[in-house]
Amino acid sequence: MWISEIIRTRRWFLTSLMITLLVPGVILAAMTHFAEEMSDSEALQVAAVAVKNYVDENPPREGWRATKIYIDESKAVVLDVQVPRFDHAQVIRSRSERIRYSYLKLACPTEDAWVYEWLNGDNRIWINLHHHGKTIYKAPCPSNKTKGYLS
């Protein structure tokens, strides 16, 4: 009988507690019911916008300019970076493949950058270094650190 007395004396408290718990629960259930998964193409478009925002906040190497961000035919986010000085472009062209990649990494987001959260598994950011429309070097940025060793 003591339970029925507690319910009777604290009726407003219990009613407000139930409303407080049920209303957010119903709202969350409705939101999950109407939520939709993003398609791969939509996810790539969101990733391209995230890369643009990242480049706006963290411009590439001093003097270099990000000119265009797009999704190419192989479903990769590509960032065109212009190297305006002729002598810099010549130095990059004259180096070995490994050294050119080291120059390219100067335009890549850092390994722990938040932009990688928007890229799923196999998608990577590609950098296209060019000097007045002629490609100097094009390659993908290194993978995100959190993906694992040698990824």
Side-chain angles (χ1 to χ4, degrees), residues 74-149:
S74 66
K75 304 285 186 198
V77 177
V78 179
L79 172 64
D80 282 346
V81 177
Q82 181 182 7
V83 180
R85 291 190 50 182
F86 178 75
D87 55 337
H88 288 178
Q90 282 302 105
V91 167
I92 295 171
R93 278 190 190 110
S94 66
R95 303 295 179 188
S96 69
E97 186 84 12
R98 186 175 56 92
I99 301 298
R100 281 188 279 173
Y101 189 71
S102 296
Y103 282 115
L104 177 123
K105 287 193 314 186
L106 295 172
C108 290
T110 59
E111 291 178 345
D112 58 344
W114 56 268
V115 73
Y116 290 108
E117 294 173 12
W118 297 101
L119 295 170
N120 62 8
D122 298 329
N123 296 335
R124 293 175 74 180
I125 301 170
W126 282 70
I127 303 292
N128 180 16
L129 292 179
H130 62 89
H131 177 70
H132 296 297
K134 294 183 180 178
T135 299
I136 300 170
Y137 190 64
K138 182 178 179 179
C141 288
S143 290
N144 187 1
K145 245 195 237 186
T146 59
K147 286 187 180 176
Y149 190 66

Side-chain angles (χ1 to χ4, degrees), residues 30-96:
M31 287 174 59
T32 57
H33 177 70
F34 293 112
E36 294 180 12
E37 292 264 338
M38 269 198 282
S39 68
D40 288 340
S41 62
E42 291 172 336
L44 275 175
Q45 290 174 352
V46 170
V49 170
V51 169
K52 181 185 180 336
N53 291 338
Y54 181 84
V55 170
D56 288 345
E57 291 174 9
N58 308 293
R61 186 180 186 282
E62 188 176 335
W64 293 6
R65 251 188 10 190
T67 57
K68 187 176 177 185
I69 298 170
Y70 59 96
I71 300 168
D72 69 355
E73 62 277 349
S74 66
K75 304 285 186 198
V77 177
V78 179
L79 172 64
D80 282 346
V81 177
Q82 181 182 7
V83 180
R85 291 190 50 182
F86 178 75
D87 55 337
H88 288 178
Q90 282 302 105
V91 167
I92 295 171
R93 278 190 190 110
S94 66
R95 303 295 179 188
S96 69

